Amino acid sequence: MSGHSKWHNIQAKKGKADAQRGKIFTKIGKEIAVAAKDGSNPDTNAKLRDVVAKAKANNMPQDTITRAIKKGAGELEGVNYEEIVYEGYGPAGVAIIVDVLTDNKNRSASNIRYIFDRNGGNLGANGCVSFMFQRKGQIIIEKKDGLDEDEVMMAALDAGAEDFNAEEEIFEITTAMEDFSSVREALEESGYEFMSAELTMIPDTLTELNMEDAEKVQDIIDKLEDDDDVQDVYSNAEFPEEFEG
């Protein structure tokens, strides 16, 4: 995957998170509540432990995290969310996967289809694009003074990471899905701070975009991410070097 494409996506997500901090907290809070259904103790619930780490990487306050756990565990009144995945194609044939947590699947289906239809996309059946992606753990560490590339790489690989890439602004660490928790925890214990740490969908191949198509693809991704029921949007778009998004 192109380093620029990854960095573009990370910058775009970080910018959106900074601008819409409350909305990001709401989305992560829903993830925590769903994970906490299988147990409210992160020490014995690996899925919850991973989502809590994601929350902390996004600077989510501890009391907000605790409240979301209690809602999921039934200690506080909460909403019952259903996990749904939508797949389809965006402008220029870009493959798009949309992860949803919703308390009203009819509303979500209608909204997602509307966004695809009105923005040059085509919502497809389950499995129509997911075969082009792999579920992986992805840890992003910002390059800062004092961080030695070789040391970060060796720490990641020693912890069990599959791959390590040094990009212009970041170190990207990729893990197998089942190794994500142990790699993340080992790096945390070594004192590393993360820009992001989460399970994600990484495309096997990318669709290269021109500037016009890049604008259209970014627009449909933005509209999908702005929907309250949408947790994450993944694509195989490769944005042009000069695209600002």
Side-chain angles (χ1 to χ4, degrees):
M1 187 189 292
S2 155
H4 174 76
S5 177
K6 283 181 291 195
W7 181 231
H8 166 81
N9 291 338
I10 292 159
Q11 282 179 310
K13 285 183 78 172
K14 186 175 187 303
K16 186 177 287 287
D18 290 342
Q20 302 180 358
R21 183 69 61 190
K23 194 164 189 175
I24 297 298
F25 287 172
T26 299
K27 289 178 183 286
I28 297 176
K30 287 164 67 174
E31 284 188 68
I32 291 173
V34 170
K37 288 180 181 179
D38 295 328
S40 61
N41 185 352
D43 293 336
T44 55
N45 182 341
K47 183 178 180 181
L48 178 59
R49 192 161 62 244
D50 289 341
V51 182
V52 168
K54 177 180 177 180
K56 290 179 177 177
N58 281 274
N59 300 312
M60 191 169 179
Q62 183 59 49
D63 62 336
T64 307
I65 295 171
T66 301
R67 190 162 58 251
I69 291 174
K70 288 182 176 180
K71 284 182 179 180
E75 297 174 34
L76 293 175
E77 186 177 349
V79 178
N80 189 32
Y81 295 110
E82 185 174 356
E83 298 179 73
I84 307 173
V85 178
Y86 296 97
E87 303 178 32
Y89 290 92
V94 166
I96 296 176
I97 297 176
V98 185
D99 282 350
V100 164
L101 282 178
T102 182
D103 59 346
N104 186 329
K105 61 182 182 180
N106 290 332
R107 177 191 66 220
S108 297
S110 176
N111 288 351
I112 300 303
R113 183 174 298 280
Y114 180 87
I115 292 170
F116 269 90
D117 289 347
R118 293 302 177 97
N119 293 279
N122 180 29
L123 188 62
N126 285 349
C128 69
V129 301
S130 57
F131 69 92
M132 304 179 195
F133 294 75
Q134 294 185 58
R135 191 75 165 169
K136 297 284 187 181
Q138 185 186 60
I139 297 169
I140 304 297
I141 298 174
E142 187 175 7
K143 283 187 177 179
K144 293 181 179 178
D145 290 342
L147 279 185
D148 179 81
E149 179 178 327
D150 289 338
E151 286 183 7
V152 179
M153 178 177 68
M154 290 310 300
L157 297 179
D158 286 346
E162 276 188 348
D163 198 11
F164 175 89
N165 285 302
E167 308 294 350
E168 57 179 311
E169 304 283 351
I170 60 165
F171 298 119
E172 183 205 32
I173 297 157
T174 307
T175 79
M177 185 173 67
E178 60 272 17
D179 295 332
F180 171 67
S181 292
S182 58
V183 173
R184 177 186 55 73
E185 288 166 6
L187 291 172
E188 273 185 345
E189 288 170 7
S190 296
Y192 291 105
E193 296 180 356
F194 309 139
M195 282 184 68
S196 66
E198 59 190 349
L199 291 171
T200 187
M201 298 293 284
I202 296 180
D204 293 322
T205 58
L206 293 167
T207 298
E208 190 173 340
L209 301 175
N210 59 33
M211 286 293 286
E212 181 180 354
D213 287 335
E215 293 281 358
K216 294 176 182 177
V217 170
Q218 188 64 58
D219 189 50
I220 192 172
I221 289 173
D222 286 344
K223 285 183 169 64
L224 288 165
E225 288 182 337
D226 283 342
D227 187 276
D228 289 339
D229 294 332
V230 172
Q231 293 296 113
D232 283 297
V233 180
Y234 310 105
S235 82
N236 69 343
E238 181 170 25
F239 294 90
E241 196 71 37
E242 64 274 22
F243 182 66
E244 296 294 333

